[in-house]
Amino acid sequence: PWPPDLGRDAMIAIEGLTLATGRIAEAGYVLRTFANSVRDGLMPTVFPEGESEAIYASADSSLWFFHALERYVAVSGDHHTVAQLMPMLREIIELHMAGTQLGITVDERDALLIATAPRLTWMDAWQGDVVATPRRGKPVEINALWHNAVRLLAEWGEAGLYPMLFHRY
């Protein structure tokens, strides 16, 4: 009766369920486990269970990962995990810049993320094929997470990426 593990939900909840309760090792385990499932710059929306495949259908799960990792490092001081995950973190940013398989890309005019497909944000609601709350374009919450992710990557030692993204602006 319970839903499967959800990438966005796990990244949002990690601070309150593990870090605030002193379960630091568990938080690190969750982050490393989800990191192993990142594909093409995307974190699973629905984490695989048993024989099932992961579902990648979210504009923000990968970006929430940066937020969760920042909170984890602030509490644990575990910079080794950041160093270990740096190639994957950089790939998330680079693939968002180049354009993901879900049509998430950077607008070269203002460096904001564009999510063109329906059903990619947490606010999307639909009935059948009718999207009741379309969030196409440049949703503000996605771009806040995007800015945070790029900022954190620069802070964690990939400063060369920040000017590469914003050199035109």
Side-chain angles (χ1 to χ4, degrees):
W2 304 107
D5 292 333
L6 305 173
R8 173 189 301 120
D9 298 31
M11 295 305 107
I12 292 170
I14 200 165
E15 186 172 9
L17 294 178
T18 61
L19 300 177
T21 59
R23 294 179 174 99
I24 311 307
E26 289 87 343
Y29 176 78
V30 168
L31 289 168
R32 288 185 294 277
T33 299
F34 271 87
N36 287 332
S37 294
V38 170
R39 299 288 179 270
D40 302 319
L42 300 170
M43 175 165 286
T45 308
V46 179
F47 201 72
E49 283 190 9
E51 303 281 325
S52 68
E53 294 289 320
I55 298 172
Y56 297 85
S58 166
D60 59 354
S61 296
S62 301
L63 304 175
W64 274 112
F65 183 83
F66 283 83
H67 173 80
L69 185 58
E70 176 188 32
R71 298 296 195 229
Y72 167 72
V73 170
V75 171
S76 70
D78 180 7
H79 294 280
H80 175 73
T81 293
V82 173
Q84 200 175 29
L85 298 177
M86 189 56 73
M88 183 268 305
L89 297 169
R90 184 180 175 99
E91 182 180 57
I92 288 172
I93 299 298
E94 288 175 342
L95 288 172
H96 277 68
M97 289 169 57
T100 72
Q101 63 188 13
L102 297 177
I104 304 162
T105 191
V106 172
D107 184 334
E108 292 184 9
R109 295 170 295 175
D110 56 19
L112 295 175
L113 274 188
I114 305 168
T116 57
R119 304 180 185 184
L120 292 180
T121 76
W122 67 275
M123 289 183 62
D124 288 341
W126 62 89
Q127 180 69 34
D129 289 335
V130 178
V131 179
T133 57
R135 302 284 294 143
R136 292 182 192 105
K138 300 175 185 175
V140 67
E141 71 278 9
I142 302 300
N143 278 288
L145 290 165
W146 168 245
H147 174 77
N148 186 57
V150 172
R151 178 192 63 81
L152 286 170
L153 196 64
E155 185 178 306
W156 289 332
E158 292 291 330
L161 205 69
Y162 199 83
M164 183 172 81
L165 177 60
F166 293 104
H167 76 280
R168 298 182 201 135
Y169 315 104

